[in-house]
Amino acid sequence: MPRHLMIMRRLFFVVAAAAASALVITGCASGASPGAGLGTVWPEPPAGEVMAQGTVLDSDGSVQLCLGAVAESYPPQCSGIPVTGWSWDRVEGSETASGVTWGAYAVQGMYDGESFEVTQPPIMLALYDTMPLEDPTDGEPGAASESELVEMQDALPSKFGEAFLTAYPDNGRLWVDVVWDDGTWQRAADAEYGEQMVVVRSALREVG
């Protein structure tokens, strides 16, 4: 075979091999991530007003809305969302001790992902028709074992960051409460753990 034909033949095989390798790498990369996992996505802030139920706590003029656990001390302690537009003069049912004022309320307003702006008069929770959290599973048990649920429970708080409120295993699923989710985190949890093995519930609820 002439020398120039041999060189062209060798070049053809080199290019073909490189192209085949690229296809394999691309195929592996696309198959490795069928859906965005928790810790890599973040929900967009709600476009309209939301409603929340929790403890409003004012320590030295810093007002926050606590949607998660509240320490049963006197005065109580908690960590929550910074609140703007709050006035204790317009609400009842508050207590004050050691420079801290607090009370349990249903509040309506705008949430920008970092702070909560009150837009409507708050209502004492004692006088409010509490909104139950929905059960998207209709009571159907999940397939996860207790050890799997505990492992997920240990790993999930860091993936939600400061938006994480609480997590607990029940009926073969892990129930996770967060400050806000527009469905982004639920889809990510489904992609990572299987459909509704982790049930993500939003403490902030859209109005209307």
Side-chain angles (χ1 to χ4, degrees):
M1 179 183 296
R3 180 177 177 80
H4 72 280
L5 292 179
M6 292 179 63
I7 293 174
M8 291 179 63
R9 186 179 181 183
R10 289 174 183 172
L11 286 174
F12 171 79
F13 283 118
V14 169
V15 173
S21 298
L23 287 173
V24 171
I25 292 172
T26 303
C28 291
S30 62
S33 182
L38 291 171
T40 65
V41 294
W42 198 268
E44 292 291 331
E49 292 190 348
V50 291
M51 178 69 74
Q53 304 169 41
T55 297
V56 176
L57 187 144
D58 182 350
S59 178
D60 298 325
S62 177
V63 183
Q64 53 188 333
L65 171 62
C66 300
L67 301 172
V70 178
E72 295 181 358
S73 54
Y74 194 84
Q77 302 176 59
C78 64
S79 178
I81 309 168
V83 174
T84 60
W86 184 269
S87 173
W88 291 107
D89 295 334
R90 293 183 293 179
V91 298
E92 298 180 349
S94 64
E95 295 184 61
T96 300
S98 302
V100 177
T101 302
W102 71 95
Y105 302 93
V107 295
Q108 182 173 327
M110 300 294 296
Y111 176 64
D112 63 4
E114 296 182 358
S115 62
F116 189 98
E117 179 185 2
V118 178
T119 58
Q120 300 293 330
I123 304 172
M124 291 174 53
L125 276 187
L127 304 176
Y128 184 72
D129 187 9
T130 303
M131 299 180 297
L133 290 174
E134 298 178 359
D135 180 1
T137 71
D138 294 326
E140 291 294 325
S145 66
E146 189 69 20
S147 61
E148 289 173 328
L149 293 174
V150 170
E151 184 178 349
M152 288 188 287
Q153 186 177 15
D154 292 339
L156 284 180
S158 62
K159 297 186 178 184
F160 292 108
E162 294 183 355
F164 175 82
L165 297 175
T166 186
Y168 61 91
D170 182 56
N171 203 24
R173 306 179 193 273
L174 185 67
W175 301 78
V176 180
D177 293 330
V178 297
V179 172
W180 164 252
D181 184 32
D182 60 358
T184 299
W185 273 335
Q186 183 61 69
R187 289 188 293 271
D190 290 345
E192 187 167 344
Y193 296 103
E195 187 172 357
Q196 291 186 336
M197 286 297 99
V198 174
V199 181
V200 182
R201 301 186 298 188
S202 176
L204 298 181
R205 311 278 288 275
E206 292 182 291
V207 176

